[in-house]
Amino acid sequence: MHNEIASKLNGQVSGSNAVANIATVGDSSVMVEAGKILEVCKALKAEGFNVLQAVTGTDYADRIELTYILADFTNNRELLLKTKLGRGDGSGNNKDTLPKIDSVVSVWNAANFQERETYDMIGVNFVGHPDLRRILTPDDWQGYPLRRDYVVQEKYLDMVVNPAHKINSADHMFGKKLKEEIGDPKKVSASWKSNDADESEDAKDGE
Amino acid sequence: MSGQHAQEEKIRLGDMEVLKSDLLTLNMGPQHPATHGVLRVEIKTDSEIVVEATPHLGYLHRCFEKHAENLDYRGVIPFVDRMDYLAAMSMEWGYCLAVEKMLGTEVPKRAEYIRILIAELQRIASHLVYFGTYGIDMGAFTTFLYCFQDREEILRLFEELSGARMLYNYVWIGGVWNDINDDQLRRVKTFVDRFEGELKKYHQLVGENKIFIERTANVGVLTKEQCFDYGATGPVLRGSGVEWDLRKNRPYGMYEKFDFNVVTGKGEKGTVGDCWDRYYVRIFEMFESIKIIRQVLEGIEEGPVMGKVSKIIKVPAGEIYMRTECPRGELGYHLISDGGKTPYRLKVKSSCFTHTSMLPIIAPGQMVADLVASIGSIDIVLGEVDR
């Protein structure tokens, strides 16, 4: 199915550069060019994918990968549509330094909240979105939490974000102590012992 | 539009000449009994008519997805519970299915039966909370007491199985944590036999009640097209007359072996897709769940409840999107693995989040009291909306 869709997309949207990634484990996906996302989505909607389930981003060292999860409720299909973007600068709260991509709200209204969440969590600027505000964090929050290099800001509106007296240090100390005294804390309780044949292999896997 | 008094401009309303008034901005929530949690809806009203409604989320945001990146695959399960805390078993099952599919783990037959049993019991428990609290929204307090009495029996069983009343950590990767015994199965049977009759009574008392129908029929109508456009799923989609249920259309677990019907809204009391239809779908889904539970009780066999899973789980590199039919709609897990001991990225597609985004299209033109009915009828849990 993915190969078919990729070749169809290449025919309908020039420059979309659709490539099918056929996976051996899990789900396959179709990768397209970020600049053509709006045309690709329109073509796919005409193809029968009538529902946008989610828009989600993943942060890698050199790129941000957006995944559009589409579903076709008539023919019972689903498709992971992927695209790559640069990372931009996601340390502050400035939309201009973020990677840009066209919004698909005009195709499915479901994209409205989904794109807002992706903007809030990953830091992608959806151009043409009617109401691109942060959705889960406060409007003046700094940084994008689901980026890998995200550091929690120390102060928010003169409030300390992670005050020392609210961190349960007793738990941390207990774990640390266990590790020092016993080496592998999982060996403490008998419930972790199993009669599996692959135990020796797992032990190698472990610490 | 704050505070500035316009000069006495007059407009015609029917055959009367009245003073033109500004819109009034009201904040419903974040602490409000009608929003079922910490949701803030900013509404602009013209006298009692809602002109615009904007939901503001994030009051319960715990960034679950960030936590998941630092936990091993088994450690994610207790966190998953805390999303939809009224249907924690269903949340766990979806996550475990995603990981099992990636690992290629075989789940023992008895475990599959137990999973279906608890998922359907959970569906009943969750719909009972909806039914009870919706009664309160509509001014009928008694239903709440009856529903929680019945829900209590299910919670008591779950407590015996898992040790917890709400956040279970019971469904594990490869099976379930603990076996269910014959006495418990017998009690499930007694419960469903009694409950079926009770539910019929509740429906007659509430669903067929004139006041209830007046409050819900033709209120908060969502058409089929709007549902697809906004990506609605579950009872909201079925309430709008679409026959779509993942248990039927994309069977997971062992649902393809079970005989049950998909309930859809037919517009019996008003328009297709109104609040009454969504109520109807949920009530009759409980009867279907009872049907499934009876089949489980007949078919369940002796055997192990845990498959073979290595002690330290390493999921092969790749990605998967697994969706399951939870009480409130489709829950999707998009799991990306790089071959390590922790998920590289775990995105949760929450149906409640999607349904909240539909408030701006339901609200305009409604009375404020009808907005309360609409919010109640889409049945959101804020733990899942904000994650």
Side-chain angles (χ1 to χ4, degrees):
Chain A
M1 183 189 103
H2 292 83
N3 280 324
E4 268 172 51
I5 288 174
S7 60
K8 250 185 200 168
L9 278 179
N10 279 328
Q12 281 174 13
V13 185
S14 62
S16 67
N17 236 338
V19 185
N21 307 321
I22 307 297
T24 46
V25 181
D27 287 344
S28 307
S29 59
V30 173
M31 176 76 83
V32 296
E33 208 62 48
K36 294 282 173 191
I37 193 75
L38 192 58
E39 285 97 324
V40 166
C41 284
K42 274 179 189 158
L44 284 172
K45 196 185 182 187
E47 186 71 24
F49 288 98
N50 52 355
V51 172
L52 175 74
Q53 292 247 325
V55 179
T56 148
T58 315
D59 187 27
Y60 292 96
D62 56 333
R63 65 187 193 277
I64 283 176
E65 238 176 59
L66 288 184
T67 313
Y68 293 74
I69 301 166
L70 313 179
D72 179 352
F73 278 36
T74 329
N75 302 319
N76 204 350
R77 298 180 292 173
E78 62 183 32
L79 176 72
L80 302 183
L81 181 71
K82 293 197 149 224
T83 179
K84 272 186 226 164
L85 290 173
R87 287 188 80 240
D89 173 25
S91 54
N93 192 13
N94 187 359
K95 273 182 207 171
D96 298 331
T97 57
L98 298 177
K100 286 189 177 65
I101 190 165
D102 282 336
S103 164
V104 296
V105 177
S106 55
V107 189
W108 301 281
N109 271 318
N112 189 329
F113 267 39
Q114 295 291 344
E115 284 178 354
R116 270 177 75 186
E117 194 196 333
T118 311
Y119 159 67
D120 188 3
M121 291 288 130
I122 296 280
V124 175
N125 187 357
F126 291 91
V127 182
H129 189 288
D131 183 23
L132 195 62
R133 286 178 294 128
R134 284 179 178 261
I135 188 164
L136 294 173
T137 57
D139 282 341
D140 47 359
W141 194 255
Q142 300 288 323
Y144 300 92
L146 282 178
R147 289 199 174 206
R148 290 264 152 175
D149 55 359
Y150 170 72
V151 184
V152 185
Q153 63 198 76
E154 266 169 29
K155 275 193 167 181
Y156 171 69
L157 299 179
D158 280 348
M159 290 179 283
V160 182
V161 171
N162 271 329
H165 67 278
K166 287 213 171 161
I167 295 173
N168 187 358
S169 50
D171 267 9
H172 293 281
M173 292 310 288
F174 180 72
K176 214 173 158 190
K177 209 176 129 203
L178 269 186
K179 242 187 183 163
E180 275 170 9
E181 284 176 5
I182 303 152
D184 184 5
K186 286 171 187 168
K187 293 248 163 72
V188 176
S189 154
S191 65
W192 282 95
K193 282 181 190 157
S194 78
N195 300 321
D196 287 354
D198 54 1
E199 188 169 13
S200 54
E201 186 203 316
D202 285 335
K204 261 188 285 160
D205 257 358
E207 299 307 311
Chain B
M1 54 192 67
S2 60
Q4 54 183 33
H5 286 281
Q7 56 279 68
E8 294 186 4
E9 201 182 326
K10 291 191 174 175
I11 54 164
R12 290 200 72 81
L13 194 74
D15 49 1
M16 275 192 309
E17 208 166 59
V18 292
L19 277 180
K20 187 180 179 231
S21 57
D22 279 345
L23 295 182
L24 175 70
T25 308
L26 271 178
N27 274 307
M28 198 191 249
Q31 271 85 31
H32 192 282
T35 54
H36 298 274
V38 279
L39 169 71
R40 177 160 73 93
V41 187
E42 184 190 334
I43 48 181
K44 293 209 168 75
T45 61
D46 183 3
S47 68
E48 223 184 312
I49 311 284
V50 179
V51 179
E52 195 187 319
T54 322
H56 292 272
L57 320 175
Y59 290 90
L60 202 55
H61 179 55
R62 295 152 292 181
C63 216
F64 152 77
E65 292 167 15
K66 188 78 176 176
H67 278 297
E69 289 172 10
N70 298 311
L71 294 161
D72 59 8
Y73 283 96
R74 280 196 185 93
V76 176
I77 300 175
F79 283 72
V80 163
D81 281 338
R82 279 147 181 82
M83 290 195 301
D84 186 349
Y85 40 78
L86 294 178
M89 291 284 193
S90 316
M91 301 279 126
E92 289 167 11
W93 193 12
Y95 170 72
C96 291
L97 271 174
V99 179
E100 279 158 12
K101 263 205 164 169
M102 291 286 274
L103 289 170
T105 308
E106 193 99 0
V107 180
K109 224 173 172 192
R110 187 175 173 86
E112 291 274 26
Y113 271 115
I114 295 177
R115 282 176 174 194
I116 289 178
L117 178 74
I118 54 172
E120 294 308 322
L121 282 174
Q122 182 76 86
R123 193 181 307 276
I124 292 176
S126 165
H127 283 351
L128 280 175
V129 176
Y130 154 79
F131 184 35
T133 52
Y134 199 50
I136 293 187
D137 285 348
M138 301 291 104
F141 187 75
T142 327
T143 49
F144 181 76
L145 301 175
Y146 278 100
C147 289
F148 270 61
Q149 216 170 11
D150 289 329
R151 176 171 174 259
E152 189 60 32
E153 286 193 34
I154 299 175
L155 291 197
R156 215 166 279 162
L157 176 83
F158 285 170
E159 191 179 2
E160 277 177 33
L161 283 176
S162 68
R165 281 170 56 83
M166 276 175 100
L167 310 162
Y168 310 106
N169 191 7
Y170 180 67
V171 182
W172 279 12
I173 296 160
V176 294
W177 173 57
N178 212 346
D179 202 356
I180 190 166
N181 64 32
D182 289 346
D183 181 46
Q184 283 155 347
L185 288 175
R186 235 185 336 267
R187 268 168 40 215
V188 173
K189 191 171 172 359
T190 342
F191 168 71
V192 291
D193 285 348
R194 185 185 63 80
F195 178 65
E196 196 175 18
E198 298 278 291
L199 190 58
K200 271 179 198 149
K201 217 164 29 182
Y202 298 163
H203 177 59
Q204 269 162 14
L205 283 172
V206 179
E208 305 288 340
N209 181 307
K210 187 161 189 302
I211 302 170
F212 185 80
I213 293 172
E214 298 265 309
R215 285 294 309 272
T216 52
N218 291 321
V219 170
V221 179
L222 286 169
T223 63
K224 215 192 235 183
E225 289 73 28
Q226 279 172 333
C227 281
F228 282 137
D229 193 18
Y230 279 83
T233 47
V236 177
L237 182 67
R238 288 194 284 277
S240 297
V242 182
E243 206 179 325
W244 179 269
D245 190 321
L246 285 180
R247 291 174 293 166
K248 206 76 168 180
N249 297 67
R250 296 176 83 87
Y252 53 93
M254 284 201 309
Y255 273 120
E256 69 273 8
K257 287 187 187 162
F258 289 84
D259 172 39
F260 63 99
N261 300 321
V262 179
V263 187
T264 54
K266 294 176 191 71
E268 232 170 84
K269 307 285 177 201
T271 328
V272 179
D274 58 8
C275 291
W276 197 87
D277 270 356
R278 290 194 277 282
Y279 157 83
Y280 171 87
V281 166
R282 290 205 178 86
I283 293 297
F284 281 83
E285 248 178 41
M286 286 199 248
F287 285 114
E288 300 303 320
S289 291
I290 291 172
K291 242 192 229 173
I292 298 174
I293 290 170
R294 288 225 170 92
Q295 290 168 50
V296 170
L297 294 175
E298 270 169 30
I300 194 163
E301 299 158 5
E302 289 297 314
V305 291
M306 198 66 189
K308 246 179 119 47
V309 185
S310 73
K311 234 182 350 174
I312 290 155
I313 294 173
K314 278 187 179 171
V315 169
E319 64 176 318
I320 192 165
Y321 183 64
M322 183 74 217
R323 42 187 182 143
T324 53
E325 187 76 35
C326 288
R328 288 178 178 72
E330 279 176 24
L331 181 81
Y333 287 98
H334 184 217
L335 173 69
I336 298 179
S337 166
D338 59 351
K341 287 183 209 166
T342 61
Y344 189 80
R345 173 93 166 88
L346 181 65
K347 153 88 185 175
V348 181
K349 183 258 157 183
S350 139
S351 54
C352 297
F353 184 77
T354 310
H355 295 158
T356 315
S357 76
M358 299 178 86
L359 280 180
I361 56 162
I362 304 183
Q366 280 185 331
M367 305 286 261
V368 177
D370 289 343
L371 182 64
V372 172
S374 303
I375 295 177
S377 79
I378 57 173
D379 191 21
I380 46 175
V381 160
L382 270 298
E384 198 192 323
V385 174
D386 294 341
R387 281 155 287 148

